[in-house]
Each structure stands twice: as C-alpha cells, then as structure tokens.
Amino acid sequence: MTAPTAAPAASPAAASPADPGTARVELLTGGAWVPVCDWPLLTPGRGVAVLLPDGRQAAVFRDRRDRVWAVGNRDPFTGAHVLSRGLLGSAAGGGPYVASPLLKQRFDLATGVCLDDPSVRIPVHAVRVAD
Amino acid sequence: MTDTLEKPVVVLVGYGMVGHRLLEALAENGAAARLRVVVLAEEPRPAYDRVRLTSYFSGLTAEDLLLGEEGFAERHGFEVRLGDPAVAVDRAARTVTARSGLVVRYDTLVLATGSYPFVPPVEGRDATGCFVYRTVEDLLAIEEYARGARVGAVVGGGLLGLEAAGALKGLGLETHVVEFAPRLMPVQVDDGGGEALRRTVEELGVVVHTGVGTKAVAVDAAGAVTGMAFTDGSGLAADLVVFSAGVRPRDALARDCGLEVGERGGVRVDADCRSVTDPRVFAIGECAQAVDGRVYGLVAPGYEMAQAVAAQLAGGTGTFTGADLSTKLKLLGVDVASFGDAFAASEGALEVVYSDSRSGVYKKLVVTADGALLGGILVGDAEAYAALRPLAGTGTPLPAPPEALVLPAGAGAPAALGPSALPDDAVVCNCHNVTKGAVRAAVAEHACTTVPEVKACTRAGTGCGSCVRLLTSLVHDELEASGVAVDRGLCPCFARTRAELYEIVRVTGTATHAELLDRYGREEARGGEGCEVCKPTVASVVASLAPELDAPAHILDGEQAALQDTNDHFLANLQRNGSYSVVPRIPGGEITPERLIVIGEVARDFGLYTKITGGQRIDLFGARVDQLPQIWSRLVAAGFESGHAYGKSLRTVKSCVGSTWCRYGVQDSVAMAIRLELRYRGLRSPHKLKSAVSGCARECAEARGKDFGVIATSAGWNLYVGGNGGADPRHADLLAQDLDDEGLVRLVDRFLMFYIRTADRLERTSAWLERIDGGLDHVRDVVVGDSLGICGELEALMARHVGRYQDEWAATLADPERLRRFVSFVNAPGVPDPTVRFVPERDQVRPDLEVLLSEDDLLRSLDPDGPGRDRTDRPDRSSDGAPGRAPLLEVRSR
Ligand SMILES: Cc1cc2nc3c(=O)[nH]c(=O)nc-3n(C[C@H](O)[C@H](O)[C@H](O)COP(=O)(O)OP(=O)(O)OC[C@H]3O[C@@H](n4cnc5c(N)ncnc54)[C@H](O)[C@@H]3O)c2cc1C
Ligand code: FES
C-alpha cells in the first residue's frame, strides 16, 4: 500500500487498448490490481471516481491521447472527494493535470504535485488497461 | 442691485455644451470658489449633450442626456437661472438684463449662446409641421407631430440633416432628404465620397434628392404642411418638414450692444477669446468667430475655448487659435469620417483614392509629397479613422504607404496602422483634446492600469466614444511597455478572446474543442488537452451556435460532454462538501400549490436543505450525485424543468404581481416574465443572465439591477440593459421605451444574441456595455437601428434556439447512456459517497465539514466496528416513509 506522499510517479497506461470493446481498466492499490471499469466507460478529458477496498477513493482519467491516469479523489484544499469531477488540462511543456472543480487548484496527474502550491501533493496510483 | 458680495462677478449667457464646459473647468481649476458666477439660460433644462441629441429617438431620455451630475450647480455655488434668457447688455454700466427683469452687474461677461438653425426664406416655412432640429424641445415636438404623419422630408443633406433623416426613419416615416448641392455632406466629402454615401443612405431606405432647391412648402387650408415644391419644377407630398440647412451664430445680443461681429456672423474675438471691442467680454463656442476668422460648428473647439477662458479667469493664461474640423457621423449606420485637409487644399497635396461603388466604400487620403498625412475622407468603412485622424497634420511620415492604408482588408497586404505609429503630440481624443502623450503619462506616471482608470484620469473617451478603441490599444501597449503583461488571449491555450473564438466557430463551422485547439490555439498548446478555461468556453460557444452548427442539441452529447464544468456535467450545482443543489424552474416566480407541495415532498424525502432564492425560486441543497436522477424523475413527473442554475445561461425572470392584482400595476408583468423566461431558458451565454419585469414604475421586481430588465409604462414596456447587483452594482441603462409585446421580445432577442456574440468569457452585460467601443450607443445602433445589418441574423439564431429547446433533465432521464454518469463510484454503482455527510441545524441539515478535515479520521468514522463519531445522518424517508437514520454504507435502491 502506498503512503500518499511517498507515491512514486505513476506511468500512465499505454495508449488505446487492442480491443476497446472488452478492455478493462485496473488500478494498483495495496499490492493488488483492482478493477475500475470497462474501457468504454471512460470519456476522453474526464474522470470517474473509484471506491478502493480500504474506503479511500481514487479518481481515474482518460486523456485526449487515450492514456489513463489515477490520483486520489480527495481535494486536499477542501477535503471534499471531488477531483474526479474536475476538467483535464495540459500546461505548455507539461503533462496533463486535473483542475479541482471546487477552487480550481491544478494537480499534475503524473506526480500528484499541485501546480499552484508545490508543497501540496495528492497520492498517485498506477493504472493499466487489461485486455 | 442686490449684489453686495465682494467676489468678482462672472455672468455666463447661454447654458449649452460649451457653457457647461466652462463651469466644469472653473470648478476643476478652483476659480469657482473665488468668483460669483451667474448663469442665464434660455432653455428650460440644464445643459445637455446636444451631440447625442438623436439618441433620444433610440431610447435615451432627456434626463439621460444631461451633462452635469445632479446637484452640480449647487455644489459649486453657480447661480443658474433656467428659462431666463438675457435680453440686453449695457456695456457702459456693465449690466445684463434677463427676461424676468433681473439685472446683474458683471465684472466679466461670457457669451456662449451657440447657434440657431438657419431656415431658408421659402414660402410656407412657418406652416404647422415645419420644424428645426437643435433642442430637446424640438425633438419632443417632432415626435409628437410624427404620430399623425406618414412622409417626412429633411431640407439639407449635411451632417445634421442625415442625423435628422435617421431620426425620422426611426419614427417610422417614409423619409426624404433634399440637398441643394450635387452631393450629400458637401462640406465634409468630395464627389466620390458623396456618391458612396448616397448609395449607403439609400440602402437604408432614405430617398435622396440632390441638386434640387426647395422653392416652397405647400400648405393646406388649416395651415398644415402637405408637401414641397422644388426649384426644378418637381414636388413631393409630405406631412412633416425638418429644416437642417446649416446654423448661424446667435450674436444678436452682442450686435445690439455694439460688439463687433464677423461678416457672416459670430462675435469677433482674439486669441484669448475676448471680444475685439470690449476686453471684459468673452465669447466662446458656436457664437464666436475665432481669431483665425472661422466660426466653429463643432463641440471640441468650443470646449477648447471654454478651457482657455476658465484658465484666464483663474488668473492664468489660455488661448484658442484654431482647431481641426474632423467629423464622424454617428447615426444612420453609415460610416463616414472626414478629417484634416479633406479637400487637398494645401499646396502640393496629393490624393490617394480607393473607390468601390458596388459596396459603397470610398477612401481618400491626402498626403504631402514626402508622405505625411494631411487629411482624408472615409465613407462606408471608417475603421481606420481613429488611428489616422491623430496623424493628420503632424508632419510625421505615414508608417505605411498610403495605398496600402486605403485598400480593404484582405486585398493585397493591407497595412494595419498600429497606434504605436502615432507621435506623442497626436490628439487621441478629439472631444477632450487628449494627446497620446497624456494617455501614456496616465499609465506611466499616474499608475492607471485599466482603460476605465485612464478614462477617469484623462477624460479621454468620455465624449462621443469614437476614440475608445484607439485608447484601449494605446493603454495596453503602454502597459506592456512598462512590463505589465497584458495578454488579451482567453487562456494559456488560446491567444484569442472568446468573441474571436465565437466568430471562428461561426464562420468556419468548427464545432469541436480539439479541432479548434489544434488549428487556432497557441503554437505550444496544440495537440494538448486544452484547459479548464477554454473547454467550458468552447462548450458554451458551441451550445450558443448549436442550431447553426449541426452540433448536438444536448450539452452532454458528443465532445461537449467532456468540456463542461462539473455543474453542467451533472446538471446541478456543486457545493463545498461535494454534494449538489437542485433548482427547478419556476417561471416568473409563479407556482401552483400542487407544485409547491411536490417540491416540499421531494425535499423532505431526500432530506434536502431548502432555501428560497433571490430569483423567486427554491434551491434544494445536499443531493448526492447518484440521487440527482431520482430527485429529477419526481420533479419532471410533476411538470418541472431544469432551472439552469448550474449553467452560464438564463437564470430567472423575476416579476412583481402586476396589473392583475396590484392596484398600481399598468401591465401584466407576470405574464411577460413567464413569456421571457420560457423563451430564453437554456440559452448558453458568456455568463449567467438575470432578468426581471416590473408592472409599474415603482419597480418592485428590481428590473434595473438585471442584465435585461423590463418596466411597464402605460404605453407598453421600457427595456433596460446592463444592470447588475452583487459586488459591482450597476443600474441598467434604458435601451428603448414604450415597446409593444412583440417589439420587446424582438429587441431582447437581438440584444442577447449580440451580447453572446461579442462578450468576453465571464463578462456580465454590465461590464460588456462599459467595455465595448461606443458603449450603449453602439449597442443601440446595432440592435435598434440595425447599423451592422445583422439583426435578421440575430433574430433567426434566437428563433432556432427557441425551436430546438428541450428540457435537459427530461432528456437526460430518457437516455440510459447519459444517466450512466450519475453514480458516486464507477466500480460500485449502487454505493453512495460516504464522505457526503450532514449535521442538523435549525431543523434542517448542513454539510458536515469537520468530517472532511482529515482523511484518516474520516475512514475511522466510517468503520462500522470502530468507535465512530457522533454524527447524524439526515432524515431519509424516501424508502419507508418514516424519518430515520440510514447506515452509512447501505446501498439504497428506490
Ligand atoms: C443634432 C446635432 C448633432 C450634432 N452632432 C455633433 C457632432 O457629432 N460633433 C460635434 O462636434 N458637434 C455636433 N453638433 C454641434 C454641437 O452640438 C455644438 O457645436 C455645440 O452644442 C456648441 O455648443 P455651444 O455651447 O456653443 O452652443 P449650444 O449647445 O447651442 O448652447 C447655447 C445655449 O445658449 C442658449 N442661449 C442662446 N441665447 C441666449 C440668451 N440670450 N440668453 C440665455 N441663453 C441663451 C441656447 O438656448 C442654448 O441653450 C451637433 C448638433 C446637433 C444639433
Ligand atoms: S473623441 Fe470623442 S470621446 Fe474621445
């Protein structure tokens, strides 16, 4: 189980699955791969919330290039579990981020670091698309 | 004589535009406190903006036109006697006698009596139905008489004549303009320009007769106008005639007391604006013949004279030696400008002309042999006026070859003439004589950082408004130069504004964010994700234009689904603990008891916190994402629709109870509010839109605090726009008055669509009105006068919006695909979000925020076997009808 602040930068899942019809998205937590959902349920540019076995929540996103990312769903600035409902963006020269729907702070999806306040960081999970 | 005060006495005769400027200047330079100033005014009202007189016909009231703020004269101790003109001056005794019999002794006399309209000595000119066009009283009389008239004729095709023609046209008359010269605006434009002008004026539906003199006005037995006879033997049937054949200085008072006047009239003055006969007398404005021998018929030179005299009365110096005669026609939707040496009268002057008679465009620049600009005429496309006028006569060579400057955009490589090309002494604002140097100083030395600040600091742009665009780019350039970054782009992904993106989408039909970003985004942002700013903006633009684009009608279909902010995404408003609030539409605030009960039942059954909103509806707070479809299926079944409280779109049209019940009401405000709310529901716009309808002038619905507000009059409806409440309150401005129901709706259609088309992201109508070039007048020209010829398009777009409207919630409930997103967890669709919790307060619930403070505490409190914290879940009787506490992780199915 990865401690929130010590989470390694996750590498996103490789681009589009061989067979989108049957592919499933999975997330690594507590040393095990947990099923998230079927691939077609993800909309490019948006996220979904996932309830993890230990009661925590994750936010899983699919970006424009069909890469998948997962971070903690809790917005550390408000405590609300809403990051999965934020919009994806990308800064010039940087990777994708999610903007909190509440107060709009942005979090880098690869590292979990808050782009508006680098002292704040959210957990990151490894994800994969399994055929 | 009652004058026992020690202060020197200044008597001002005439309280028009220039007289008022003198008073303002005296107040500003402090002289007002040391002088006793008596103002004798002929007109019954304080000075008003004569230049914008015609705006009265597009909805401004006489009060709106007043120049001074309320209490101006009292505050500075000016003794203004309205309706009491001077009738005689005794220069030996130094007294002025007013019509009331009052005699005032003066130390200094200032004449600012303006001009009177010249009426050619034709037979019948005094008939009932003949008017001139100079004062508010003239307009009131014309308006009154026009009610019973069908055909109107204007004698005189100059600047004012065309304005008057525009006004007659606006009053619904068949309108003719009769000009003696062979072309329109003979003083300002040459033959080529006149031809282009004629074409455009004719296209506006005004009949133009040039090269004909008026011989007589035909009159019936009762003494009323029936038509006109021309010198060429032809004639014209008409019910109303407006003479606008030039003005003459009002110098009778001066003549009578022996002051020298010019050959063609006007009190002769020296460079100090003092009468050449009597140094105790000044003459300023249109009644004066300046030291250069000219009588100026424009307001800007008059203002300069007023400044010069005020400076002298304060003990300093000030002179007026001559001015520029630039003009830009403001009305009729015709672009005409003429500036500097427009007729190439200077020695060695060369002309560069571009003329396209098909499109009615004519542009001429007059230059010296070495390429410095002397003047020019622009007809049909006066876009370059603001940038070119300040350059004329400065001697600086043009920054681009003049041929390139007259070519239309797109032909060859037209030179965009940047404001950076202007020298510092170039006058940017003609109305207030503000130079580019002064504008730059306002930014660099007075630390102004916005255009409104610079306006307040320099007065630039506060007159006719034609210089605002130039002013804006100068201010931005200056800010940039001083290291303040002003990037006008929407966001890090797009260097363009929302309005520019709107145009791109409209013209190219590009309907997806991804495509727009890759084609029109900043180089470095192409191929990326975009951002949280441009995505919802594009979604809103696409939604506004959806009827034209073949884009999906529902905001959650196609690519749009991924672009919406969370509120639009879940069709509800996100609150601080991750729950949502729900607002059903209650059009006009009218609701049946049955529906009110349904709202109460839904709120009770789902344990929602209930609050009445300021917009006369009911907000239900505390719904989880997965409850939204259940809540809405009950509401939709009871006949409710989405209230769009989550969208940048129409919120409510508030109303008072109106003539149906209220003993003061004059119109049915509730019916109109409902009609407007149903018409514009679901319309996506740059920001939220609020509206209200009041049934009488008591204004109980507070319509003037809304984006568009409607107030009933005995004759119909007045439409106000650009109001705002909240942190930045602004009273809405009158756009048009006494509209009938259909006229009102048509005008609101146009106004809203024009706003949607041109506003910036998150720019409320109030800020938009203050920002856009020409302000309210421009908006009125466009939406009332159709000066851009786009009203048909705006109305059609609105009609298609109305035709395509569907309730977003009903459509969502009907589609399992769309419903799929309404789960708390994608991997546990039936499980509610355990972190959305509530505590009781005043018999309702409020979010439990403490539980959100620490994730570990939260997890511990969720553990059914752990000690747990003392939290109350809200009453939930949706499943069994009895209030109770539900275990937190229970999967509820209803
Ligand atoms: C429809 C219209 C459109 C115009 N458009 C433009 C434009 O676009 N640009 C521009 O630069 N100019 C324009 N003008 C001209 C501009 O309005 C005048 O240049 C300006 O008003 C001159 O100011 P003034 O104070 O000299 O005269 P006025 O504003 O006419 O004021 C003179 C005042 O003196 C009063 N008066 C006269 N005799 C007496 C007396 N014996 N005792 C007391 N009071 C007296 C008059 O009643 C009047 O109120 C326009 C004018 C009109 C009518
Ligand atoms: S030129 Fe008229 S406001 Fe500046």
Side-chain angles (χ1 to χ4, degrees):
Chain A
M1 154 98 222
T2 47
T5 43
S11 45
S16 7
D19 180 357
T22 59
R24 289 176 63 80
V25 181
E26 296 175 345
L27 173 154
L28 184 65
T29 180
W33 287 98
V34 191
V36 171
C37 63
D38 294 342
W39 169 260
L41 277 183
L42 296 181
T43 310
R46 286 222 95 97
V48 293
V50 182
L51 186 59
L52 302 180
D54 65 355
R56 289 178 206 267
Q57 301 182 15
V60 176
F61 302 93
R62 168 172 164 193
D63 71 14
R64 202 184 147 187
R65 285 189 264 159
D66 289 339
R67 294 174 301 182
V68 186
W69 308 83
V71 294
N73 194 27
R74 182 173 185 269
D75 170 12
F77 291 94
T78 59
H81 290 63
V82 294
L83 290 184
S84 60
R85 301 179 211 156
L87 284 173
L88 288 201
S90 63
Y97 63 78
V98 61
S100 165
L102 277 170
L103 301 175
K104 307 287 184 248
Q105 288 91 354
R106 298 163 305 154
F107 301 90
D108 186 297
L109 290 179
T111 64
V113 172
C114 175
L115 298 174
D116 302 291
D117 180 354
S119 69
V120 179
R121 193 179 156 145
I122 54 172
V124 177
H125 301 273
V127 255
R128 68 179 184 195
V129 180
D131 281 310
Chain B
M1 287 289 308
T2 51
D3 179 16
T4 52
L5 292 174
E6 293 295 314
K7 293 180 181 174
V9 180
V10 174
V11 174
L12 169 64
V13 178
Y15 190 26
M17 298 191 73
V18 172
H20 182 74
R21 187 73 196 96
L22 176 75
L23 296 185
E24 275 185 343
L26 289 175
E28 277 162 22
N29 69 21
R34 297 193 297 276
L35 300 169
R36 176 178 174 220
V37 182
V38 180
V39 185
L40 297 179
E42 177 186 58
E43 291 189 68
R45 58 190 80 242
Y48 53 87
D49 193 346
R50 206 178 301 288
V51 170
R52 296 202 301 157
L53 195 61
T54 308
S55 312
Y56 172 81
F57 288 123
S58 41
L60 284 197
T61 63
E63 284 66 44
D64 291 333
L65 290 173
L66 294 183
L67 288 173
E69 71 279 7
E70 225 181 289
F72 167 79
E74 296 74 38
R75 184 155 43 257
H76 300 289
F78 300 132
E79 300 167 35
V80 178
R81 301 182 58 91
L82 297 178
D84 196 10
V87 292
V89 175
D90 181 340
R91 288 198 293 117
R94 282 204 265 131
T95 58
V96 183
T97 306
R99 190 168 62 192
S100 63
L102 175 84
V103 178
V104 196
R105 191 181 150 84
Y106 64 81
D107 294 291
T108 305
L109 176 65
V110 183
L111 299 175
T113 48
S115 305
Y116 66 90
F118 170 69
V119 178
V122 295
E123 205 181 303
R125 66 188 193 152
D126 295 326
T128 313
C130 284
F131 299 91
V132 293
Y133 198 76
R134 174 100 196 157
T135 65
V136 166
E137 271 56 42
D138 292 335
L139 299 201
L140 295 175
I142 292 173
E143 185 181 39
E144 176 68 33
Y145 200 80
R147 284 192 225 283
R150 199 184 60 80
V151 183
V154 176
V155 179
L159 186 78
L160 291 190
L162 291 182
E163 265 201 55
L168 293 189
K169 191 86 191 109
L171 287 170
L173 300 188
E174 174 189 320
T175 304
H176 297 254
V177 171
V178 184
E179 168 58 50
F180 182 65
R183 60 171 185 270
L184 293 173
M185 285 179 75
V187 184
Q188 287 89 2
V189 309
D190 56 10
D191 282 338
E195 204 35 58
L197 184 56
R198 176 195 190 101
R199 190 172 300 273
T200 351
V201 171
E202 280 174 348
E203 268 166 22
L204 294 165
V206 172
V207 189
V208 178
H209 312 257
T210 50
V212 285
T214 303
K215 199 164 69 191
V217 174
V219 177
D220 66 13
V225 174
T226 58
M228 304 175 62
F230 299 134
T231 43
D232 64 359
S234 63
L236 172 73
D239 311 308
L240 186 156
V241 175
V242 176
F243 287 101
S244 180
V247 294
R248 299 286 183 270
R250 289 189 71 172
D251 53 13
L253 201 61
R255 279 174 203 264
D256 291 349
C257 68
L259 295 174
E260 184 176 338
V261 297
E263 224 168 273
R264 281 164 51 227
V267 184
R268 281 199 56 202
V269 296
D270 61 15
D272 291 347
C273 298
R274 281 179 208 272
S275 153
V276 294
T277 322
D278 183 344
R280 283 192 180 269
V281 182
F282 291 94
I284 54 179
E286 290 193 336
C287 70
Q289 187 196 58
V291 67
D292 64 353
R294 295 169 89 164
V295 175
Y296 288 91
L298 293 172
V299 73
Y303 278 179
E304 270 185 66
M305 297 182 212
Q307 295 286 145
V309 171
Q312 295 174 64
L313 290 177
T317 56
T319 58
F320 175 85
T321 52
D324 171 43
L325 283 174
S326 307
T327 28
K328 192 172 173 205
L329 191 63
K330 306 170 298 296
L331 206 80
L332 258 182
V334 192
D335 252 3
V336 192
S338 130
F339 57 97
D341 179 9
F343 290 88
S346 325
E347 188 147 351
L350 303 171
E351 294 186 346
V352 179
V353 178
Y354 169 82
S355 166
D356 177 356
S357 50
R358 227 172 353 115
S359 58
V361 173
Y362 176 86
K363 298 189 205 177
K364 179 175 87 175
L365 295 186
V366 180
V367 293
T368 63
D370 49 4
L373 185 65
L374 290 169
I377 295 171
L378 306 169
V379 177
D381 173 11
E383 193 55 34
Y385 170 76
L388 286 174
R389 185 198 34 77
L391 275 179
T394 57
T396 342
L398 279 169
E403 309 81 70
L405 293 172
V406 295
L407 281 176
L417 187 52
S420 52
L422 298 177
D424 263 356
D425 58 358
V427 175
V428 172
C429 174
N430 228 16
C431 290
H432 291 288
N433 196 18
V434 183
T435 60
K436 175 178 169 186
V439 171
R440 293 182 46 199
V443 175
E445 290 155 34
H446 303 291
C448 299
T449 56
T450 64
V451 175
E453 279 171 32
V454 173
K455 278 184 172 178
C457 174
T458 62
R459 306 178 76 95
T462 58
C464 67
S466 72
C467 62
V468 173
R469 178 178 295 210
L470 176 63
L471 182 69
T472 307
S473 47
L474 276 178
V475 170
H476 285 161
D477 285 355
E478 196 57 27
L479 283 171
E480 247 158 28
S482 58
V484 182
V486 264
D487 187 328
R488 277 145 258 174
L490 177 67
C491 63
C493 314
F494 286 97
R496 316 194 183 232
T497 63
R498 178 197 169 278
E500 286 165 342
L501 281 180
Y502 183 102
E503 286 308 310
I504 290 174
V505 173
R506 190 176 70 84
V507 173
T508 65
T510 313
T512 68
H513 174 268
E515 216 180 317
L516 278 174
L517 181 64
D518 294 351
R519 268 210 252 158
Y520 303 100
R522 296 180 198 261
E523 209 62 61
E524 63 275 18
R526 296 188 184 175
E529 291 290 319
C531 74
E532 69 280 12
V533 171
C534 57
K535 282 178 171 179
T537 304
V538 168
S540 159
V541 165
V542 169
S544 303
L545 282 169
E548 293 218 321
L549 292 174
D550 257 357
H554 198 284
I555 63 159
L556 297 184
D557 285 354
E559 193 218 29
Q560 286 197 62
L563 304 178
Q564 309 290 355
D565 266 329
T566 182
N567 284 359
D568 276 304
H569 192 62
F570 288 112
L571 308 170
N573 291 44
L574 179 64
Q575 305 296 337
R576 55 190 303 177
N577 67 338
S579 67
Y580 286 83
S581 70
V582 168
V583 187
R585 184 168 298 292
I586 302 180
E590 182 184 85
I591 185 165
T592 61
E594 282 70 26
R595 287 203 181 161
L596 207 45
I597 289 168
V598 170
I599 291 188
E601 286 174 346
V602 167
R604 182 194 60 204
D605 294 351
F606 289 86
L608 304 175
Y609 168 80
T610 311
K611 176 127 183 26
I612 310 285
T613 71
Q616 301 185 333
R617 43 194 197 172
I618 300 173
D619 210 340
L620 311 172
F621 290 80
R624 284 189 322 265
V625 162
D626 48 286
Q627 290 177 316
L628 290 171
Q630 304 160 20
I631 290 171
W632 272 105
S633 54
R634 302 236 329 236
L635 291 173
V636 167
F640 284 106
E641 292 185 349
S642 165
H644 295 100
Y646 47 82
K648 301 286 176 253
S649 53
L650 179 79
R651 295 288 163 86
T652 71
V653 183
K654 198 173 152 175
S655 69
C656 69
V657 83
S659 57
T660 323
W661 294 89
C662 172
R663 65 205 150 110
Y664 300 115
V666 291
Q667 305 284 350
D668 187 352
S669 48
V670 180
M672 181 50 79
I674 293 174
R675 175 167 177 193
L676 294 176
E677 183 159 344
L678 294 182
R679 183 167 181 83
Y680 304 119
R681 61 189 165 179
L683 180 67
R684 288 316 201 262
S685 61
H687 208 313
K688 60 187 169 195
L689 288 168
K690 296 184 174 181
S691 177
V693 182
S694 277
C696 77
R698 286 183 165 69
E699 242 285 69
C700 295
E702 296 164 330
R704 291 195 69 190
K706 305 296 181 200
D707 294 284
F708 61 103
V710 180
I711 302 178
T713 68
S714 50
W717 307 99
N718 285 357
L719 175 58
Y720 293 83
V721 295
N724 199 5
D728 218 352
R730 182 184 191 274
H731 254 109
D733 294 313
L734 181 66
L735 183 68
Q737 52 193 356
D738 292 337
L739 299 159
D740 60 18
D741 288 9
E742 302 314 311
L744 172 69
V745 168
R746 189 172 340 113
L747 197 52
V748 176
D749 280 4
R750 295 175 178 183
F751 173 78
L752 290 178
M753 276 302 174
F754 187 53
Y755 160 67
I756 289 172
R757 183 161 177 170
T758 54
D760 271 343
R761 165 183 177 262
L762 298 188
E763 187 176 44
R764 290 289 293 270
T765 56
S766 54
W768 169 72
L769 262 191
E770 307 238 310
R771 173 186 58 88
I772 65 164
D773 280 354
L776 179 69
D777 283 344
H778 173 63
V779 171
R780 185 182 289 117
D781 285 350
V782 173
V783 303
V784 179
D786 200 8
S787 62
L788 300 179
I790 57 172
C791 285
E793 208 180 299
L794 300 176
E795 284 174 34
L797 194 53
M798 187 64 87
R800 283 201 296 276
H801 160 77
V802 173
R804 276 171 54 125
Y805 168 83
Q806 51 170 340
D807 173 32
E808 282 163 6
W809 262 111
T812 301
L813 293 172
D815 181 346
E817 263 311 301
R818 293 181 189 138
L819 275 179
R820 267 233 296 258
R821 79 191 58 202
F822 292 90
V823 292
S824 287
F825 301 110
V826 71
N827 61 338
V831 179
D833 184 345
T835 70
V836 176
R837 305 182 65 185
F838 301 88
V839 289
E841 183 171 271
R842 291 190 298 276
D843 300 333
Q844 298 204 63
V845 297
R846 70 170 172 79
D848 182 354
L849 296 177
E850 224 171 291
V851 83
L852 301 177
L853 288 179
S854 141
E855 192 171 24
D856 291 331
D857 284 355
L858 175 65
L859 290 177
R860 234 172 290 127
S861 77
L862 294 179
D863 182 354
D865 305 325
R869 290 170 62 196
D870 188 19
R871 298 272 160 235
T872 323
D873 198 9
R874 48 191 170 166
D876 190 329
R877 20 191 279 176
S878 51
S879 38
D880 56 11
R885 291 163 130 224
L888 278 167
L889 273 171
E890 184 205 39
V891 178
R892 289 176 203 151
S893 51
R894 286 190 270 269

